[in-house]
Structure formats: C-alpha cells, structure tokens
Amino acid sequence: MDPQLALQAFEELGTLVMLGMPVGTEFGIDMNTWNVGEKFKGVKMIPPGLHFIYYSAVSRQGETAPRTGFFHYFNQRELIVRHYDPAAEDLLNTDPDSEEVERIRSNIRDFDRFLGPYPMDSWRKWISLTQYISLEDMKRMIPLSGKISSVPELMTQSQWKSSEPANKNETPPLNPEEEGTQSSSSKVETSGQTQEDRATASFKSYKSCIPDLKPMPGTEIRFSNFPSRPYPDGATPSEITRCSLDSSYSIGKIVENIGRPEGLLGELQFAFICFLVGQVWEGWEHWRRLLSALCSAEAFILENHEIYLKIISVIHFQMQEVPEDFFVDIVENNNFLAEALKMFFANISDNTSSLPPAIVTRAQKFKDHLTSKFEWSFTMEEDDDEDAPVIVDL
C-alpha cells in the first residue's frame, strides 16, 4: 500500500487494541485467523461497519479451547480497548476507563508497530456475508452478556431457578418433576415384570441422574422465536392445512416482532455467521429453519418479492463457504437446502404472472446455476405431495 494512503487509513479507520493476550492464543477478526505473537497488541485500519472478533486459548500441547467472540459495529476513527484475563482465558467484561482510552489514542502511533493491518483482500467476502446486518439487528440478537460462545454455558434447572440451594451440602434436585422419585425408581421390584418394564424402569433411573440443563441466563443468542403453532388462533381445518403448506403466517409473526421485513435478511446472515465463524451450532439450526420457512412462504413471497431478490444473493454467497455435502441430513439422507429451494422455485413458477419479471428471471438463473454446478433436480414430482395432509372442510 502507498505510504501516504496507509497513513490516511491508519488515522481514519478503526483500531482494536488487545492488551495482555498470551502468545499462541488463536485470534481472529471476520474471516481472518492468526496465532498471537510476542509483539501483538491488536488490529489497525478496520473498515467501518460490523465485525466479529474472536479468540481461543491454546494449551502448551497445541490443543485449542472453544471459541469465544463478540460483534462490534466500528465507526470511523473508533478506538476500542480490551484487556485479556489469562486466569479466566477470556476478555474482561468491563471496558477500560476513558482516561486509559484517551492515553492510548494520544500515543496511537507508538502502537503502530504492534498492530496488524486488517486484511483488505478479505473485506469483500465479509461484506457479501454481512451486508444486511444493521446495527439494530446486531443489538437485538446478541446475547445480553455481549459474548458469543461456541460451547454454551449451562446450569441445572434448579440453579436456573435459584442460584443458592437450600442446603449447600446437598445436591439440588436435577429435575423438579422427578424430585423425590429417584430412590423409588432405583428400587423397582423386578419380580413379575416384563423385560420391557425392567428396561423402562432402568431408563427412568438413569434419566433421573442426568442434569436438566438450561443455558445460563444472558448467554443465549436472541434469535427470533417462531410461533408455538404455525396457524392463527381459531383457525379452521382448511386454514390449518394451508398454514402447514405455506409458512407465511409464521414468517409474518417473526416480521411483527422484528418490526420490518428487511430484518429477515439480517437475521439470516447473522445466524449463518454465528455458525460459520462463531462455531455456534444453534446458528446453523436457526439459519436452516428460517431459510426453509422463507422458501415455503408463498403468500409472503407475493407480498415481499423485493426481499427475495436479495435472499437469492444471500444464499448464493453463503453456499460458497461450506461444502456441498454439508447440506445433506445424515439421518434422512436428504439435502434440505435442495428441497427448500425446490419449494421456492415452485412457488415462483406457480405465480409467474403475479410477480415482477425481475424476481422470476433472477430465480430462474439461480436455479439453472445450481442445476449446472451441483446437478440438483428441482422438478416437483407427484410423489412429493403424497404424504401431504389432506384438506378437509368442516
């Protein structure tokens, strides 16, 4: 980079200062990962916008701990400072005082040799995966703790309800519904029992020893909740059937909670990044469920076709980051993405006359691309509907 341009970027773009991070720690920002060296104190020339910073402790034997990270929306010339706690192998939750930040800012050029430049060659890829995640989207979905952890922090249900057991020397009940049942289930008389009865009793005894774990409050990623039922209250049998085939009601309820349809794009990208970079499995599960619902929401597609022009682009770039076989359900041996897109393309085809040519053309090009590249078939067969519920009007 030209020295004058580099100096301008250093002064105008964002800076992340990480103090106390041990040598060897795995550290990353967006799509870039390194192992910390002796002189490392952070990253400079960070473009404005959303970024994901993450880290993992590495043992002397080279074993890497689970990944922890946080999202931050950088402003122009913004400086953020974080302190690492080696004992906890984590960043401190408290921000440094303003005096320390200003002291570092006034001497930022002295830090230059300790700061690695943001890899601009990866910036375009990061934008293609996050461009629709607004600051508002980020704030509503990040955990209250502010941290994204690849391994969830869990506690027993009794701890979840009360942080202090009544008797600290006594193991708290693992499941309130099974409280007081463990000894009776472990002493079940076996005389006269069938093998199935004994197996059931044995399983209940085993289950009573398994903690009923829940996420630590404040650590959950706050993805949108799907409605408990995919149809409205008081729905007729035919309406229930229609909602089981067309997920527009469920998507509509999510949009109500988000406040705007465009928030679906941000959530789709946020969930994927949580999985891809944050290594959070819940991100994958939510991405998969949300994408499947979006593809089968026929009525919603008709009313929000502009959103789907962007959704096609989002899926296109996301597919380039994971291998093709990752979309195959190993249990059902079913490519869920191909099946979801089959429904999407069918909804577009069935409503060609009601949709603008732009979305019809874009969908067809995307379909042709996937068929050519992966040899996926998107033809709706008659057998596809043989297990579908039968509509009954009462």
Side-chain angles (χ1 to χ4, degrees), residues 85-349:
D85 182 358
E89 297 183 341
D90 200 357
L91 291 177
L92 296 176
N93 282 328
T94 55
D95 291 332
D97 58 59
S98 57
E99 290 184 4
E100 180 184 17
V101 174
E102 289 306 314
R103 185 171 63 253
I104 292 176
R105 185 186 299 278
S106 63
N107 295 287
I108 193 64
R109 292 199 179 188
D110 295 336
F111 274 82
D112 184 41
R113 64 185 184 276
F114 303 114
L115 303 175
Y118 182 92
M120 289 299 179
D121 55 352
S122 68
W123 177 236
R124 180 173 294 182
K125 175 183 286 189
W126 178 251
I127 286 295
S128 71
L129 295 171
T130 62
Q131 61 183 320
Y132 297 115
I133 306 175
S134 67
L135 177 59
E136 178 184 359
D137 291 327
M138 184 199 78
K139 288 182 176 180
R140 72 176 171 83
M141 286 186 284
I142 59 173
L144 295 176
S145 66
K147 293 183 179 180
I148 304 287
S149 299
S150 61
V151 175
E153 299 179 53
L154 302 174
M155 63 189 335
T156 63
Q157 183 163 301
S158 54
Q159 290 174 321
W160 187 69
K161 290 187 174 182
S162 174
S163 58
E164 290 288 336
N167 185 345
K168 294 184 180 181
N169 296 321
E170 178 180 312
T171 302
L174 303 175
N175 188 326
E177 295 179 356
E178 295 177 353
E179 184 175 359
T181 65
Q182 183 171 350
S183 79
S184 62
S185 63
S186 62
K187 296 181 180 180
V188 175
E189 295 293 334
T190 58
S191 59
Q193 287 186 321
T194 65
Q195 183 175 355
E196 182 178 355
D197 291 336
R198 289 194 296 271
T200 300
S202 176
F203 173 74
K204 287 182 177 180
S205 177
Y206 170 74
K207 183 180 178 182
S208 68
C209 298
I210 302 176
D212 184 7
L213 300 175
K214 292 185 176 295
M216 188 82 69
T219 64
E220 312 98 322
I221 302 174
R222 295 175 295 168
F223 293 128
S224 296
N225 293 319
F226 280 77
S228 57
R229 295 181 299 184
Y231 52 86
D233 294 337
T236 64
S238 61
E239 289 172 336
I240 293 174
T241 301
R242 184 174 66 253
C243 289
S244 69
L245 299 173
D246 181 344
S247 57
S248 296
Y249 171 78
S250 295
I251 292 297
K253 298 301 288 185
I254 292 176
V255 170
E256 284 183 19
N257 293 328
I258 294 176
R260 67 193 200 290
E262 293 77 9
L264 293 169
L265 295 166
E267 185 145 346
L268 196 64
Q269 289 190 323
F270 190 86
F272 189 78
I273 288 297
C274 284
F275 163 72
L276 179 69
V277 187
Q279 301 180 350
V280 179
W281 184 252
E282 288 77 7
W284 170 260
E285 290 293 329
H286 187 71
W287 177 83
R288 170 175 172 160
R289 186 179 184 188
L290 181 59
L291 180 59
S292 296
L294 284 167
C295 287
S296 61
E298 183 175 7
F300 187 80
I301 293 173
L302 290 171
E303 296 173 359
N304 300 272
H305 45 80
E306 302 92 346
I307 297 294
Y308 282 84
L309 282 170
K310 299 174 182 177
I311 286 178
I312 291 173
S313 177
V314 167
I315 300 172
H316 169 73
F317 287 113
Q318 289 176 340
M319 289 182 65
Q320 297 181 31
E321 301 305 319
V322 291
E324 175 191 352
D325 57 4
F326 199 87
F327 300 111
V328 178
D329 190 317
I330 60 174
V331 177
E332 300 178 1
N333 194 28
N334 175 48
N335 187 322
F336 96 90
L337 181 59
E339 291 301 312
L341 290 174
K342 179 190 293 188
M343 180 62 69
F344 171 64
F345 294 139
N347 284 329
I348 296 294
S349 177

